Amino acid sequence: MPAELQSTSQGQTLILTLRNPERRNAIDPAMYAAGIEALGVAERSTDVRSVVITGADGTFCAGGNLERLLANRQQAPEVQAQSIEGLHNWIETIRTYPKPVIAAVEGAAAGAGFSLALACDMIVAARNAVFVMAYSNVALSPDGGGSWSLVHDLPRQMATEILMCGDRLGAERLHALGLVNRIAEPGSALDAALAMAEHLNARAPNALASIKELVTDAPHASLTQHLNQERDHFVKNLHHANAGVGISAFLEKRVPRYE
């Protein structure tokens, strides 16, 4: 069975499933391109309000295909550079996508698989899931934004340890560090992620898009710049139709229904 990114849906949530049974859901350029295309279509669809990325058959993603990497050593360096650009385009698409993206992790999230999970807005992981920045174990350095995510989310010393030592980290350790949002029982990470997505789907999409943009931009902005962004987003959302729905529903003690 060839590697593929399978696209399904449940309610208003798009589910993207990494499927590469022969290589524990290792990802490749065709999957990167499929991920970008799927998110592009979903962004334009009012029927999709959130996305869950998961892996098939009890494993999230083993990262890159080492056999393909070994073969690329015989090619010009530009071949691997182009492949990594494809991965990075997908990571940037996830980061800038205006709707919530949740990683549902069972089994292993290794190398680029760990980087992919970190690119998502939230991570739900099975209690026995394992995360590893495996690059240094095979004399490589990170890709997929893994080093960027860890340095932004953790103290420098902890990020350096995770990247340099290549140790296996359990979901509960990452939960304690603040990288994993919720722990699920083994086999139920996808269900837990879908429940989180359903909770988000009931909220105003424009407000969630603003929150994601503010969270993404905050580390790079001065306080004054960020306060100005908050002001602009707040005013824009106050004058959106959904604010009228939400405020009226709150005052009238009923459940809002957002467009």
Side-chain angles (χ1 to χ4, degrees):
M1 181 181 295
E4 64 174 344
L5 184 70
Q6 187 178 49
S7 178
T8 57
S9 63
Q10 179 171 311
Q12 294 176 303
T13 301
L14 173 69
I15 305 170
L16 299 178
T17 303
L18 309 169
R19 188 177 296 278
N20 187 353
E22 294 182 0
R23 294 184 172 84
R24 299 174 63 237
N25 300 332
I27 48 180
D28 62 21
M31 296 169 80
Y32 313 152
I36 293 170
E37 181 179 2
L39 290 177
V41 172
E43 182 175 350
R44 296 187 294 271
S45 173
T46 57
D47 295 329
V48 176
R49 294 203 174 182
S50 61
V51 177
V52 170
I53 299 177
T54 192
D57 304 322
T59 297
F60 184 70
C61 176
N65 180 346
L66 290 181
E67 292 179 1
R68 181 170 59 82
L69 294 179
L70 194 61
N72 281 352
R73 280 175 44 81
Q74 310 306 315
Q75 306 293 324
E78 291 76 15
V79 172
Q80 185 60 41
Q82 185 176 14
S83 175
I84 291 177
E85 284 296 324
L87 171 61
H88 288 178
N89 288 339
W90 189 20
I91 295 297
E92 283 195 299
T93 299
I94 293 169
R95 281 281 185 177
T96 59
Y97 183 70
K99 304 175 186 182
V101 182
I102 303 171
V105 180
E106 297 275 357
F114 194 174
S115 297
L116 176 62
L118 289 170
C120 297
D121 300 307
M122 288 165 276
I123 300 175
V124 176
R127 193 175 303 280
N128 60 348
V130 174
F131 297 78
V132 55
M133 278 293 173
Y135 300 94
S136 68
N137 296 339
V138 291
L140 294 174
S141 53
D143 62 1
S147 56
W148 187 94
S149 295
L150 291 175
V151 167
H152 277 74
D153 297 339
L154 296 173
R156 181 178 65 86
Q157 292 84 352
M158 181 58 66
T160 302
E161 177 187 338
I162 293 173
L163 291 162
M164 285 189 175
C165 293
D167 294 332
R168 293 159 61 91
L169 302 166
E172 293 188 345
R173 174 87 188 280
L174 292 192
H175 184 260
L177 290 172
L179 293 177
V180 167
N181 296 80
R182 296 186 184 178
I183 298 290
E185 293 306 312
S188 63
L190 177 57
D191 288 341
L194 288 170
M196 177 182 272
E198 185 175 357
H199 178 70
L200 295 170
N201 293 346
R203 296 175 179 269
N206 57 293
L208 297 186
S210 285
I211 291 168
K212 180 163 181 174
E213 186 174 332
L214 288 167
V215 169
T216 298
D217 292 347
H220 316 291
S222 67
L223 176 59
T224 298
Q225 290 171 328
H226 195 73
L227 290 173
N228 289 338
Q229 284 186 291
E230 284 192 332
R231 176 201 63 210
D232 294 345
H233 279 281
F234 189 97
V235 172
K236 178 181 69 174
N237 288 315
L238 178 63
H239 289 275
H240 192 286
N242 280 334
V245 172
I247 295 171
S248 296
F250 181 85
L251 294 175
E252 297 168 9
K253 295 181 172 56
R254 57 182 174 78
V255 177
R257 295 181 62 86
Y258 297 112
E259 296 298 326

